[in-house]
Amino acid sequence: MRYSKIRNMEEFAAVSGISRPTVSKYFNDPGSVRASTRARIEASLKKYDYQPNVFAMNQNRRTTKNIGIVVPNLADPFFSEIARRVELACIDAGYSPILASSHGSPEMERENLLSLRSLKPAGVLLAPFGRMSDEDAVKDISDDFPLVLFDANIGDVGQAFVGTDNAQSVDLMVEYLCRSGEPPCFFEMKSPSNPNANKRRQAYLDSMQRHGREPSIFQADGEGWHFEEIGKTEGGRLLSSKAFDTNTVLCSNDRLAIGMLSAAYDLGLRVGHTAGCDIRVAGHDDHPFSRFTCPPLTTIAQDYEAIANRAFNDLFEMLEQGERLSKRAETTFEGRLVMRDSA
């Protein structure tokens, strides 16, 4: 039986039924994969008469096998969880991840990018601050190294972006809250650190309009990454003054919602959707702690694993081919509604 000519490693991985990172790992060092996997790869090489593009594989030999990973704040469990998954994807493909936290500081983000440059990474995965990022510093890295952004986007900087479809996810939550009780107010920070907050506000406005409901937005004073403290202080102030128009509050992110749950407890308010409850509270992100709050938080789950794997695979494709993507790729994954006791 004759087979059509296999043009690249991606096609070889597909026909051989072996993951592309594992195939690349074999070509870099056959001894780095299990004997059974090595036997399968070598049988497929013989079967399909495939020869890898040595030029593409050696294109970046002047760089290291290091992958730079920069996140805004590793103290935030959302970023620590997604960074953990990105690290594992890098290791599985035979790369060495270098993880850096910007500790909530845009200036530190710039310093992290400068430090990575001196290490000559094979590529960089960056979860940027967004509007607060030093765009010139990010562009400089993008000019010299393959760069993939994840979680937050910055215009057309970098060769790819991977994140969550905020319009879809917020609409999913608004639809549920309207259907199951009173329509939600929206609680956010006045000066949000993450640009996703602005997209979620607009998604809330659009969704409320589609449902024929009047939107109601409340903005908390405060800035930075102390979301729980801001949620408790400002949320408590709004709750105690009975400022919310309905008994349902959708918070821009889970950490604000966790702070509001604490404020409700202090005020003696019962949170939930059953008879006798005073208020419903919902969030967004499926923060690792959200299932352990009291009551457990209704939220939107972001697909951590899909985002991490796609971000790395976009970067890996450039490393494998030895060239940039022909067109900037943008991928967003849908959120999933997680109904718990808080709403």
Side-chain angles (χ1 to χ4, degrees):
M1 182 180 294
R2 295 181 61 84
Y3 298 94
S4 59
K5 179 69 175 177
I6 295 175
R7 295 168 297 179
N8 53 48
M9 201 181 300
E10 183 176 17
E11 291 184 1
F12 174 73
V15 298
S16 62
I18 301 169
S19 72
R20 188 174 59 181
T22 301
V23 170
S24 178
K25 196 174 180 181
Y26 167 84
F27 284 126
N28 283 317
D29 179 10
S32 66
V33 300
R34 289 194 296 264
S36 58
T37 303
R38 185 164 66 249
R40 288 177 59 199
I41 293 173
E42 290 170 353
S44 294
L45 287 171
K46 183 177 180 181
K47 178 179 180 179
Y48 297 108
D49 190 27
Y50 172 65
Q51 294 293 328
N53 185 335
V54 177
F55 173 76
M57 292 175 60
N58 290 309
Q59 186 75 15
N60 284 320
R61 283 294 187 248
R62 69 182 184 280
T63 65
T64 66
K65 295 286 288 183
N66 298 326
I67 299 289
I69 306 169
V70 183
V71 297
N73 200 333
L74 271 178
D76 186 323
F78 169 80
F79 288 112
S80 61
E81 177 62 18
I82 200 166
R84 181 183 72 84
R85 293 174 184 264
V86 171
E87 275 190 303
L88 291 175
C90 291
I91 293 168
D92 185 57
Y95 288 89
S96 300
I98 299 174
L99 179 59
S101 171
S102 299
H103 301 289
S105 166
E107 291 76 20
M108 180 66 76
E109 178 181 271
R110 180 173 57 82
E111 291 300 320
N112 282 333
L113 294 176
L114 288 174
S115 296
L116 280 176
R117 175 183 297 280
S118 65
L119 298 175
K120 294 185 177 180
V124 177
L125 294 160
L126 169 66
F129 283 92
R131 64 178 180 83
M132 296 169 60
S133 293
D134 184 337
E135 193 166 327
D136 289 337
V138 179
K139 284 181 177 177
D140 286 345
I141 282 287
S142 180
D143 287 342
D144 294 337
F145 305 98
L147 172 68
V148 174
L149 305 182
F150 64 97
D151 182 61
N153 207 354
I154 305 179
D156 59 354
V157 179
Q159 287 76 58
F161 164 72
V162 184
T164 294
D165 184 344
N166 288 292
Q168 175 272 338
S169 60
V170 172
D171 184 61
L172 186 64
M173 178 62 81
V174 170
E175 189 279 331
Y176 163 71
L177 295 174
C178 288
R179 168 168 49 85
S180 59
E182 295 185 16
C185 303
F186 189 75
F187 178 61
E188 66 170 353
M189 290 169 57
K190 187 178 296 183
S191 301
S193 301
N194 191 304
N196 284 317
N198 298 321
K199 294 181 179 179
R200 292 173 189 174
R201 182 196 319 114
Q202 187 59 53
Y204 164 79
L205 292 170
D206 293 342
S207 184
M208 291 290 280
Q209 183 180 27
R210 279 194 296 274
H211 287 86
R213 304 285 191 167
E214 189 68 27
S216 185
I217 295 177
F218 294 85
Q219 295 184 317
D221 289 328
E223 58 184 21
W225 292 85
H226 305 293
F227 299 107
E228 293 88 356
E229 180 180 343
I230 293 169
K232 180 173 183 176
T233 301
E234 291 295 293
R237 178 180 61 80
L238 293 167
L239 287 171
S240 61
S241 64
K242 303 184 184 303
F244 294 117
D245 302 322
T246 75
N247 75 344
T248 304
V249 181
L250 170 57
C251 298
S252 180
N253 62 61
D254 283 355
R255 292 182 62 187
L256 283 175
I258 289 170
M260 181 164 286
L261 291 178
S262 178
Y265 176 82
D266 285 349
L267 293 169
L269 298 176
R270 186 177 176 186
V271 179
H273 58 83
T274 57
C277 290
D278 302 296
I279 188 170
R280 295 194 301 163
V281 177
H284 191 292
D285 291 339
D286 199 22
H287 184 290
F289 298 162
S290 63
R291 70 188 64 190
F292 303 114
T293 57
C294 189
L297 183 64
T298 292
T299 185
I300 291 291
Q302 298 195 64
D303 195 334
Y304 293 82
E305 187 168 4
I307 292 171
N309 288 339
R310 182 55 186 262
F312 175 74
N313 285 337
D314 281 347
L315 180 62
F316 185 82
E317 181 179 346
M318 288 185 279
L319 300 181
E320 178 188 320
Q321 300 298 331
E323 59 185 22
R324 307 298 175 92
L325 299 176
S326 57
K327 182 180 179 182
R328 188 177 192 265
E330 290 197 12
T331 306
T332 55
F333 292 94
E334 291 189 347
R336 176 174 54 87
L337 177 65
V338 180
M339 293 179 287
R340 299 192 181 109
D341 293 344
S342 74

